[in-house]
Amino acid sequence: MVRAILLLSCLLTLPLFAQEARDSTRTGTDTLNTASLVFDKLLTNYRWNGALLYRQDRGPLAYALNERFTSTVLRLGRTLVTDEQHLALTARYRVAQRVRIASELSSFILSDDKGIGISNASSHAFYGGAEFRPWDELTLEPMLGYRSDNQIDEHDRGASYLLRAALAGIDFNGYETQARGRLQYDRLDPRAVESDSALVTVRKSFAATSRNAMTFRFTRNRRDFYFAPDDAVRSAYGVSHNIESRAENNVLIGDPLAYALTDEASLTFQGSVLSRHIGRETRYRTADDARLATDIDEMRLEGSAEASVSDGDWFTGVFRMLYQERDERHQAIEDPVYDAAKDIDALQQNEEEKNNHSQRTMFASTVTMLPSRVDTLSLAASGTILRYDTQSDANTDDRDELW
């Protein structure tokens, strides 16, 4: 029924979008409207993807509607259906030269009858605030909202705080700097949700032959999930569901450098370092519960060099070398709640068995030739060497020197 309504709405709105586009051309308003519905089938798997984007900018008022719908039907003995719907509605109204009143509405609905994990969930939020531009290059957007979540028949509601900031291109002695950030905290007692991010990019051009762009990115996502508790937790705390918290922090620093040797040849070097931390913990714990909090730390190093040559007429060649190194460490966090007789060392050893270190080296090349105006000859080749090591003697999953 939902798929039929979405298909009908897309078909009915397409002529309206075309009319809006013609009207905006005549009136000079800024408009972008699209609608699509895609269906594909693979054996017993049926998939629908619907998208609806409607934007208008009329004088002091600007608003947008963005909707995405995905439905997957799997027929294996019995029919399994998974539906996901995302809806976002935003509006801005200019009340002064550098101030706009802002409001947002978002909705997410998941329905899955596979019965694995969280099969039915929904999240709805409404925000109100303002958009300020103290300077031409700086935009600040503080917003206050209310969010309602539903996970496996647990309904949580509470305040939501949202702050966005953006810094347009500022020139510092030839270095063009751009930045944007976002802070969001949802207090959904007894759960909490955090979504923070920051991105800073610094670009520099050296004469007309080379350019450099350094990037710094930080993200933090914290989510709380309900799951079925054991009898000891249910009796001790009187709860119908336990809560598992998962927090992930990522820090990335990247620096690509492009240099043009001649009009026909260029070199590109790129390096990046990624640090990733994941922490898991259980809210309600007893001495008989073996769910220890765990930490995962990952460090990833990547570097590449690429050479490109072309005579502009009939020959183009690209040659690339890539090196990646990754180290992953697992650790169990001791908890005083647990009984002292519990074998903490065995649990710690179980986590350490997951530790691994890998190195990957790749060589790739692509050569394209145009013998005539209607003929194209391409040759591509690549090779990879992987060294994968698990430090624990109890884990023999080592794969070295694979080409």
Side-chain angles (χ1 to χ4, degrees):
M1 182 62 182
V2 177
R3 291 190 292 272
I5 294 175
L6 179 64
L7 174 59
L8 181 60
S9 64
C10 290
L11 295 177
L12 291 177
T13 51
L14 280 173
L16 297 178
F17 289 172
Q19 179 64 37
E20 289 282 359
R22 290 193 296 269
D23 293 342
S24 64
T25 303
R26 291 194 295 266
T27 59
T29 58
D30 185 12
T31 305
L32 174 61
N33 303 312
T34 60
S36 65
L37 181 64
V38 180
F39 169 77
D40 64 81
K41 176 183 179 295
L42 178 62
L43 300 178
T44 60
N45 194 346
Y46 304 80
R47 186 178 179 88
W48 287 264
N49 286 292
L52 186 64
L53 178 60
Y54 184 85
R55 294 179 180 174
Q56 287 292 315
D57 193 350
R58 298 180 178 274
L61 178 63
Y63 54 92
L65 170 65
N66 189 352
E67 182 175 11
R68 292 181 289 112
F69 179 83
T70 301
S71 181
T72 303
V73 178
L74 184 62
R75 292 185 173 180
L76 293 174
R78 66 188 184 96
T79 302
L80 304 175
V81 182
T82 302
D83 292 333
E84 287 189 24
Q85 185 174 20
H86 302 258
L87 174 66
L89 178 62
T90 62
R92 303 287 187 273
Y93 187 83
R94 188 175 303 279
V95 294
Q97 182 178 1
R98 296 182 178 274
V99 180
R100 295 198 301 177
I101 300 299
S103 64
E104 295 184 4
L105 174 67
S106 63
S107 176
F108 167 74
I109 300 175
L110 168 67
S111 176
D112 188 351
D113 57 5
K114 294 187 180 68
I116 301 175
I118 299 177
S119 56
N120 290 281
S122 64
S123 177
H124 312 285
F126 175 78
Y127 297 92
E131 178 188 283
F132 303 96
R133 296 187 63 191
W135 304 283
D136 293 339
E137 299 84 4
L138 179 63
T139 302
L140 298 174
E141 191 175 21
M143 304 188 77
L144 176 64
Y146 182 81
R147 177 169 172 172
S148 174
D149 275 21
N150 178 24
Q151 274 190 28
I152 54 177
D153 298 328
E154 291 282 357
H155 298 269
D156 300 328
R157 300 173 179 83
S160 179
Y161 310 93
L162 177 62
L163 173 64
R164 297 191 187 97
L167 184 66
I170 297 181
D171 192 286
F172 294 103
N173 296 325
Y175 292 87
E176 181 184 357
T177 304
Q178 295 179 332
R180 66 174 183 267
R182 170 193 174 100
L183 297 174
Q184 180 177 351
Y185 181 78
D186 303 329
R187 182 70 251 182
L188 309 174
D189 290 328
R191 298 188 304 116
V193 177
E194 296 181 54
S195 297
D196 306 329
S197 64
L199 175 64
V200 179
T201 304
V202 181
R203 294 184 176 90
K204 172 70 173 180
S205 295
F206 302 91
T209 58
S210 62
R211 60 187 183 275
N212 181 242
M214 176 172 286
T215 300
F216 171 83
R217 178 183 289 111
F218 169 80
T219 60
R220 170 176 170 80
N221 291 289
R222 183 257 177 97
R223 298 290 185 269
D224 290 349
F225 303 97
Y226 285 112
F227 67 94
D230 58 18
D231 293 336
V233 170
R234 186 180 289 108
S235 175
Y237 296 95
V239 295
S240 57
H241 291 93
N242 207 335
I243 299 176
E244 181 184 62
S245 298
R246 183 184 187 275
E248 178 178 346
N249 298 331
N250 292 276
V251 178
L252 171 68
I253 300 177
D255 189 12
L257 172 64
Y259 179 74
L261 300 174
T262 64
D263 293 339
E264 295 80 18
S266 63
L267 296 175
T268 302
F269 302 94
Q270 182 171 350
S272 65
V273 178
L274 170 66
S275 175
R276 182 171 178 243
H277 175 82
I278 300 176
R280 297 174 182 266
E281 63 178 2
T282 303
R283 177 75 54 86
Y284 306 111
R285 308 180 302 278
T286 64
D288 297 328
D289 191 349
R291 291 179 177 268
L292 278 177
T294 59
D295 284 343
I296 303 174
D297 291 295
E298 177 186 342
M299 180 67 71
R300 185 181 303 173
L301 174 67
E302 180 175 319
S304 65
E306 181 179 295
S308 177
V309 294
S310 174
D311 69 347
D313 294 326
W314 72 279
F315 175 83
T316 300
V318 178
F319 308 91
R320 187 168 187 255
M321 182 183 70
L322 172 68
Y323 175 79
Q324 295 176 329
E325 187 167 350
R326 176 177 173 272
D327 187 77
E328 183 177 303
R329 300 288 174 174
H330 294 250
Q331 181 181 6
I333 308 301
E334 294 188 16
D335 194 326
V337 173
Y338 293 96
D339 185 71
K342 186 176 290 295
D343 192 356
I344 300 296
D345 292 337
L347 297 175
Q348 181 68 40
Q349 182 180 357
N350 182 63
E351 289 298 316
E352 291 178 352
E353 289 177 5
K354 305 174 186 177
N355 294 345
N356 63 86
H357 184 89
S358 63
Q359 296 172 300
R360 182 187 298 271
T361 305
M362 184 185 72
F363 302 90
S365 63
T366 302
V367 176
T368 303
M369 293 176 286
L370 303 175
S372 67
R373 294 184 177 180
V374 296
D375 298 319
T376 301
L377 178 61
S378 296
L379 177 63
S382 64
T384 301
I385 298 176
L386 171 66
R387 298 177 178 88
Y388 183 88
D389 177 57
T390 53
Q391 293 84 356
S392 174
D393 295 334
N395 190 342
T396 59
D397 184 23
D398 293 340
R399 301 185 296 275
D400 296 341
E401 300 294 343
L402 296 184
W403 177 263

